[in-house]
Amino acid sequence: ISRFNITRKPITICLGAVFLIIGIVYSWSYYSSVKELQEVYHQIEISGDSLTLESIVPPIIPETENAAIIYQKAFESMKFGTEENKIIGKLYQKEIGWSKELLPSMKGIVEKNKEALKYIREATSYTQCRFPLKYEAGPGLLLPHLSIMRKCGQLLCIQALLQNEEGDISEAIDSCRLALRMGKHFFSEPLLISQLVRTAIHSVAIESLKIIVNQHPDYYDGYLELLKELDDYEGHKPFVRCLKGERNIFGIYIFKYMAYEPVKHPLYIRLFTYLLRPLLNKVFAFYLQVQNHIINASESPYYEVIERIQDFENIRTVPLYGILTRNFLPTLSGSIASQAKSEARLRVCELGLAIKVYKANKGFYPETLHNLTPDILTELPQDPFTGKDFYYNRDGDGFIVYSVG
């Protein structure tokens, strides 16, 4: 027995020493990771940004001033079946597949949705819109309105094309104008997918306008109204807001759920999560640094930041715990490029309309884009891909305006 006790004693001491070392290493790792995370939080806060949910969620709007209440009535009265979805699929793929063969089907869609169109038009007269979304749900946030809002925009543009075909140019242009305004109702929604739906609605409206304007190049009054609608476009500000929303609504929620709210998990997961907390802190600190870098970059025009973002993506010395965040980067940078393309399309549309108005006044196209200011445009929009004027050439009896993007 005494020999056994003598043998067991050094083993116990060794095990105790091992556990002590593990405890010291864990405590040091935990302390250093918390300190690193606090430093990142501090850097973000002193920059004037906030990581709270309240800072990014749009304020409550009184029902009497909220377009979402009216849109909901439109949603309830919309009649879209399999056949209608097929027709829309043919019309709105990469470009509008306009064909007179689709006219009967388009008329049928508009006829079925007369009541919905009435509510959509009413909703676009409101300046504010806030759908009742549960932002506090984080990744569980439901967005049932997005797909229907996109159909609402498509429905307005279908009506515009029909009105154009019937010779009612004023109403056709007004329908496109309302589709552009509908897209603006997403400006305050701090979600990346919401901004992508906004750009999709704007894209459909612009493609519809191309058809109408090419057939009626001298409709002066209608083009002036469209220019007013495009004049207060917020550029990339809604996109910056949505990047902050992705961070505050989803990123922070996931981290808190995994690292600091383990009571919702089974016991074995709680223990495992607690052991991994130093690593989770470092992962989250790296995630916040990356997001903050991209948010700061996206506040500048695209041409100023594209190289910075590409350089950041090409970094090869990313720590192992940052691999997941590193793989997430191409999605964000791709979204920034998509936003720049959308802005370029809107600005090309604005310039094209301004050139049409100039010709209606003067009888000929301008020599340069600078002839459009200040009588038609207060200032020339810049190409988001270069920071310079858009390219413009007179081409025979017409003209070409384009962005390098």
Side-chain angles (χ1 to χ4, degrees):
I1 293 173
S2 61
R3 287 181 181 176
F4 177 74
N5 287 335
I6 293 171
T7 305
R8 188 173 61 175
K9 202 168 185 178
I11 295 176
T12 304
I13 294 172
C14 288
L15 286 175
V18 168
F19 281 117
L20 179 62
I21 292 171
I22 290 174
I24 292 172
V25 170
Y26 178 85
S27 299
W28 176 82
S29 300
Y30 180 74
Y31 172 77
S32 63
S33 68
V34 168
K35 190 175 180 181
E36 181 182 352
L37 186 56
Q38 288 174 340
E39 180 62 27
V40 173
Y41 262 78
H42 179 66
Q43 289 174 358
I44 292 173
E45 287 172 355
I46 63 175
S47 69
D49 200 354
S50 174
L51 295 173
T52 64
L53 186 64
E54 294 74 22
S55 68
I56 201 66
V57 171
I60 300 296
I61 300 171
E63 288 192 3
T64 54
E65 302 172 17
N66 191 358
I69 304 299
I70 311 301
Y71 279 128
Q72 190 59 48
K73 294 179 181 179
F75 297 169
E76 292 168 359
S77 58
M78 283 182 75
K79 297 174 183 176
F80 271 83
T82 305
E83 191 59 34
E84 286 77 15
N85 287 326
K86 285 182 180 178
I87 298 300
I88 286 181
K90 291 178 181 178
L91 276 171
Y92 303 115
Q93 293 173 352
K94 290 186 177 179
E95 294 181 351
I96 290 185
W98 170 251
S99 168
K100 291 196 175 185
E101 295 176 359
L102 293 175
L103 278 174
S105 299
M106 292 165 62
K107 287 179 180 178
I109 292 174
V110 169
E111 190 64 32
K112 280 185 181 180
N113 290 279
K114 272 187 175 180
E115 187 177 5
L117 279 163
K118 182 189 76 172
Y119 286 125
I120 293 169
R121 288 176 171 275
E122 182 184 350
T124 57
S125 67
Y126 288 65
T127 57
Q128 301 181 86
C129 182
R130 187 190 191 277
F131 287 93
L133 304 180
K134 295 182 178 180
Y135 292 99
E136 66 277 6
L141 174 64
L142 299 178
L143 305 167
H145 65 297
L146 292 183
S147 61
I148 311 178
M149 281 290 282
R150 187 173 182 179
K151 283 184 179 178
C152 288
Q154 292 169 338
L155 189 58
L156 270 176
C157 291
I158 287 175
Q159 187 176 47
L161 293 173
L162 284 176
Q163 290 164 337
N164 177 60
E165 193 64 24
E166 293 165 0
D168 196 347
I169 314 307
S170 175
E171 287 298 319
I173 290 177
D174 190 59
S175 294
C176 290
R177 182 180 64 84
L178 296 183
L180 290 169
R181 181 175 293 180
M182 177 188 290
K184 293 179 183 179
H185 280 158
F186 286 106
F187 277 172
S188 63
E189 209 160 278
L191 301 167
L192 181 57
I193 189 171
S194 299
Q195 299 312 312
L196 294 176
V197 170
R198 170 179 65 85
T199 58
I201 292 173
H202 281 164
S203 178
V204 168
I206 289 170
E207 291 298 329
S208 301
L209 273 173
K210 282 182 183 178
I211 293 172
I212 297 169
V213 171
N214 285 338
Q215 293 180 11
H216 307 281
D218 301 319
Y219 193 70
Y220 176 84
D221 292 335
Y223 300 156
L224 282 177
E225 287 300 313
L226 283 169
L227 285 173
K228 291 178 185 177
E229 195 66 47
L230 290 167
D231 187 52
D232 66 345
Y233 177 68
E234 288 193 23
H236 57 276
K237 290 181 182 178
F239 186 74
V240 175
R241 197 179 300 128
C242 86
L243 289 180
K244 293 181 179 181
E246 294 290 315
R247 178 195 63 194
N248 293 17
I249 296 168
F250 302 116
I252 293 177
Y253 180 99
I254 291 171
F255 171 72
K256 286 183 176 180
Y257 181 78
M258 289 176 62
Y260 287 98
E261 296 182 11
V263 292
K264 301 177 182 179
H265 304 306
L267 178 60
Y268 68 93
I269 293 182
R270 276 183 271 169
L271 292 172
F272 184 68
T273 301
Y274 188 80
L275 291 172
L276 286 179
R277 190 167 289 177
L279 177 61
L280 292 174
N281 285 339
K282 293 185 78 66
V283 168
F284 189 54
F286 183 74
Y287 166 78
L288 288 178
Q289 287 175 323
V290 171
Q291 281 287 73
N292 199 45
H293 175 89
I294 293 177
I295 288 169
N296 290 337
S298 64
E299 289 178 338
S300 302
Y302 184 74
Y303 70 91
E304 290 183 3
V305 302
I306 181 59
E307 289 185 4
R308 286 164 56 191
I309 294 174
Q310 287 175 345
D311 289 343
F312 199 74
E313 287 181 358
N314 292 330
I315 291 176
R316 294 288 178 261
T317 57
V318 173
L320 287 175
Y321 56 79
I323 288 176
L324 288 177
T325 301
R326 170 66 177 78
N327 290 336
F328 187 54
L329 282 174
T331 301
L332 287 174
S333 61
S335 299
I336 293 174
S338 296
Q339 161 62 25
K341 288 178 181 178
S342 175
E343 186 174 348
R345 280 195 296 268
L346 281 167
R347 292 313 180 196
V348 166
C349 177
E350 181 182 18
L351 287 170
L353 292 169
I355 292 168
K356 294 286 186 182
V357 170
Y358 184 95
K359 184 175 186 296
N361 285 335
K362 306 285 187 178
F364 52 86
Y365 290 122
E367 289 290 334
T368 71
L369 292 177
H370 290 275
N371 295 133
L372 302 174
T373 59
D375 295 335
I376 301 173
L377 298 176
T378 54
E379 60 181 0
L380 282 181
Q382 302 297 298
D383 186 344
F385 289 89
T386 63
K388 301 176 182 179
D389 293 343
F390 285 85
Y391 285 89
Y392 166 69
N393 286 313
R394 294 198 297 182
D395 184 24
D397 294 332
F399 65 89
I400 298 173
V401 179
Y402 63 94
S403 161
V404 298

